[in-house]
């Protein structure tokens, strides 16, 4: 085992699974030294991951003064707004925020987005096909997996069509490493998003639309959400919704392009088979590599020799739990058929988390993937990967997981 874990190491980012497997052999949770000098407990066992995510002794509230102090600026204030969101809360605050949000994300409202998602998908596929005809190659992340979820969140938030290009550009910028763009561009994008969402909330208060966000703005139950909470919610929906779904679409496309028999089976098998591809990508690719950080409020004995002291930082590594061989035989193999009813169905994966913070957008994410993947591969049946899959760069860090680029021709 390396003396410390460096999440920025490109080799680890591309394939962290051997490391997690070795860690799991030491026990279902292990204390690890991180490259930044801090320590954390990484939970890699499936049962223990579920136990931690449903145990109130693991708090989601970040400790006061968490992270390095940064000079005050409009961008820092925007980032500060995001920090007020529901993933950073425990009961009873979390119960109130969650109840109000669940009321807006009903299955009926989410399913009603289907025709709009179909239209957005077809538009992007047409653009991609035009680019391939002109330039012979394109990046599937840049041209498809990134813009689709951002445009869908635009629908959820009720962002007018005319503003969608701005939303896409600002989101692209705030998600980019600071050194990848011109100086100040990332901060400027944070400030623009902050100003835009503030104005959007004012607009939705005056004239609500038929979008999910308008429901949140206008739900007066339990006093409703205040403007600060709405702002945090807009940021949370954008970030929880786009980067994860982008990784799901990118990882699924990569698996299908490198497993032609699975692609052929999905084409033949119809919706049930496509749904199995989506579930297997969620398990095998874990678009959210780890959950958000938890902190123990007291000493917790997780069993299997894992005793976590009070006030410890804990990360549930979903990518590791989803490949626990005790629950998923041959865990490193991409095998959609393990999710088919005919083969007895695998244990439920943990890609959307578990317990009180279970993903609120799981239905929307599944709907998007179930629409986007068949449409992409039907419209472009000869799509092939234009890079060595073992050389693709991956997103660094322990939070999100997926290829940064996916060159296709
Ligand atoms: C493939 C796509 C997605 C994956 C893998 C995913 C995964 C997750 C996970 C693991 C959590 C729990 C994190 C934790 O316990 O620390 C979570 C929470 C959440 N997700 Fe998702 N998510 C996805 C898409 C979406 C979408 C599309 C939306 C909304 C538009 C969304 C909104 C949320 C929200 C609001 C929470 C916080 C729930 C709470 O704190 O109670 N997610 N997601």
């Amino acid at each position: 085992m390396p003396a410390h874990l460096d999440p920025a190491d490109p080799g680890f980012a591309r394939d962290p699974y051997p490391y997690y497997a070795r860690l799991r052999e030491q026990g279902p949770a292990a204390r690890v030294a991180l490259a930044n000098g801090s320590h954390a407990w990484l939970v890699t066992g499936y049962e223990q991951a579920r136990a931690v995510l449903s145990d109130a002794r693991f708090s989601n509230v970040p400790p006061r003064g968490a992270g390095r102090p940064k000079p005050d600026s409009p961008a820092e204030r925007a980032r500060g707004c995001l920090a007020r969101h529901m993933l950073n809360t425990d009961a009873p605050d979390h119960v109130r925020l969650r109840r109000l949000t669940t009321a807006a994300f009903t299955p009926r409202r989410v399913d009603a987005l289907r025709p709009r998602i179909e239209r957005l998908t077809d538009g992007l596929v047409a653009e991609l096909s035009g680019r391939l005809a002109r330039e012979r190659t394109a990046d599937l992340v840049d041209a498809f997996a990134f813009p689709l979820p951002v445009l869908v969140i635009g629908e959820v938030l009720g962002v007018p069509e005319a503003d969608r290009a701005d939303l896409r550009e600002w989101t692209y910028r705030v998600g980019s490493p600071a050194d990848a763009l011109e100086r100040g561009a990332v901060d400027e994008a944070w400030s623009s998003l902050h100003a835009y969402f503030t104005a959007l909330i004012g607009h939705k208060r005056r004239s609500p639309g038929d979008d999910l966000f308008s429901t949140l703005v206008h739900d007066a139950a339990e006093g409703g959400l205040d403007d600060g909470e709405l702002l945090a919610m807009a940021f949370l929906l954008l970030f929880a919704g786009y980067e994860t779904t982008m990784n799901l679409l990118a990882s699924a496309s990569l698996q299908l392009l490198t497993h032609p028999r699975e692609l052929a089976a999905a084409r033949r098998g119809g919706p049930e088979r496509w749904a199995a591809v989506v579930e297997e990508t969620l398990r095998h690719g874990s678009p959210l590599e780890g959950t958000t950080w938890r902190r123990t409020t007291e000493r917790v004995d997780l069993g299997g020799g894992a005793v976590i002291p009070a006030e410890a930082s804990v990360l549930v590594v979903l990518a590791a739990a989803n490949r626990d061989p005790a629950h998923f035989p041959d865990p490193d193999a991409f095998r959609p058929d393990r999710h088919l009813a005919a083969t007895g169905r695998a244990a439920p994966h943990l890609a959307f988390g578990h317990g009180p913070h279970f993903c609120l957008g799981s239905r929307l994410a599944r709907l998007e993937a179930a629409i986007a993947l068949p449409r992409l591969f039907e419209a472009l049946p000869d799509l092939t990967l234009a890079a060595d899959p073992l050389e693709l760069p991956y997103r660094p860090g322990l939070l999100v997981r997926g290829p940064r680029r996916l060159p296709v021709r």
Side-chain angles (χ1 to χ4, degrees), residues 172-194:
Y172 176 76
R173 288 175 179 228
V174 297
S176 301
D179 55 3
L181 303 171
E182 66 272 29
R183 220 179 128 79
V186 174
D187 276 7
E188 223 176 276
W190 271 104
S191 306
S192 303
L193 267 177
H194 182 259

Side-chain angles (χ1 to χ4, degrees), residues 53 60 86-87 94 98 105 153 236-237 240-241 244-245 248 282 287-288 291-292 294 318 350-353 356-361 364-365 368:
L53 294 176
N60 276 56
M86 63 199 276
L87 256 173
H94 176 252
R98 173 96 188 182
F105 271 82
I153 298 296
L236 176 63
L237 293 178
T244 48
T245 313
L248 169 60
L282 286 161
L288 214 56
T291 59
T292 49
R294 306 295 201 263
L318 300 172
L350 295 182
F352 289 121
H357 290 278
F358 181 82
C359 178
L360 214 93
L364 177 59
E368 268 181 75

Side-chain angles (χ1 to χ4, degrees), residues 43-407:
V43 182
T44 50
Y46 178 88
E47 288 303 340
Q48 290 73 14
R50 283 166 64 102
V52 167
L53 294 176
S54 48
D55 186 333
R57 292 173 297 175
F58 293 85
S59 166
N60 276 56
V61 178
R64 253 176 227 275
R68 264 170 271 143
K70 308 222 173 57
D72 184 43
S73 68
E76 247 352 278
R77 264 168 264 150
R79 290 188 185 98
C81 286
L82 170 63
R84 276 188 68 189
H85 64 65
M86 63 199 276
L87 256 173
N88 278 352
T89 60
D90 294 336
D93 289 347
H94 176 252
V95 176
R96 182 182 70 91
L97 290 169
R98 173 96 188 182
R99 202 157 35 217
L100 286 163
T101 323
T102 315
F105 271 82
T106 58
R108 192 178 54 81
R109 279 177 190 281
V110 171
D111 293 349
L113 288 167
R114 173 178 279 277
R116 301 196 197 182
I117 299 175
E118 288 173 348
R119 197 164 48 84
L120 292 170
T121 303
D122 291 346
L124 289 173
V125 170
E127 269 177 44
L128 173 63
S129 146
R131 190 181 299 184
L132 286 169
R134 279 191 316 275
E135 298 168 22
R136 293 181 52 87
T137 63
D139 175 5
L140 204 58
V141 174
D142 199 44
F144 190 70
F146 164 70
L148 183 63
V150 176
L151 294 174
V152 171
I153 298 296
E155 291 285 346
V156 168
L157 294 175
V159 171
E161 298 249 352
D163 299 341
R164 301 269 170 94
D166 281 342
L167 181 71
R168 180 170 162 176
E169 185 56 29
W170 295 326
T171 308
Y172 176 76
R173 288 175 179 228
V174 297
S176 301
D179 55 3
L181 303 171
E182 66 272 29
R183 220 179 128 79
V186 174
D187 276 7
E188 223 176 276
W190 271 104
S191 306
S192 303
L193 267 177
H194 182 259
Y196 185 79
F197 284 154
T198 306
L200 186 72
I201 291 166
H203 175 71
K204 299 283 169 196
R205 284 220 189 277
R206 289 188 300 278
S207 47
D210 62 356
D211 50 88
L212 274 80
F213 195 55
S214 287
T215 315
L216 273 175
V217 173
H218 283 272
D219 190 343
E222 301 176 70
L225 296 173
D226 65 33
D227 279 5
E229 288 170 335
L230 283 169
L231 201 51
M233 185 64 74
F235 274 113
L236 176 63
L237 293 178
L238 179 64
F239 291 118
Y242 101 82
E243 224 173 336
T244 48
T245 313
M246 166 178 86
N247 288 328
L248 169 60
L249 295 177
S251 294
S253 303
L254 174 60
Q255 291 304 331
L256 291 171
L257 291 168
T258 51
H259 294 76
R261 278 170 48 187
E262 293 301 345
L263 177 55
R267 280 202 173 115
R268 277 195 315 274
E272 197 205 358
R273 190 84 201 191
W274 280 109
V277 166
V278 174
E279 293 313 307
E280 181 63 346
T281 307
L282 286 161
R283 182 200 72 81
H284 182 268
S286 293
L288 214 56
E289 185 162 337
T291 59
T292 49
W293 290 92
R294 306 295 201 263
R295 203 164 178 82
T296 43
T297 56
E298 58 184 82
R299 179 177 177 275
V300 181
D301 184 349
L302 276 182
V307 181
I308 307 184
E311 295 300 318
S313 295
V314 180
L315 184 73
V316 175
V317 187
L318 300 172
N322 279 338
R323 293 206 189 184
D324 185 337
H327 288 270
F328 304 101
D330 195 8
D332 295 328
F334 179 76
R335 279 194 14 221
D337 65 354
R338 64 173 101 225
H339 302 277
L340 295 174
T343 42
R345 285 238 163 92
H349 61 70
L350 295 182
F352 289 121
H354 181 69
H357 290 278
F358 181 82
C359 178
L360 214 93
S362 62
R363 192 178 182 96
L364 177 59
R366 285 182 164 123
L367 180 69
E368 268 181 75
I371 292 172
L373 294 170
R375 285 184 176 238
L376 172 71
F377 285 99
E378 265 157 38
L380 300 168
D382 300 322
L383 205 63
T384 45
L385 199 59
D388 178 350
L390 299 176
E391 297 290 318
L392 291 172
Y394 270 69
R395 286 169 201 283
L398 295 172
L399 189 60
V400 287
R401 169 146 193 82
R404 275 201 342 238
R405 282 195 298 279
L406 212 51

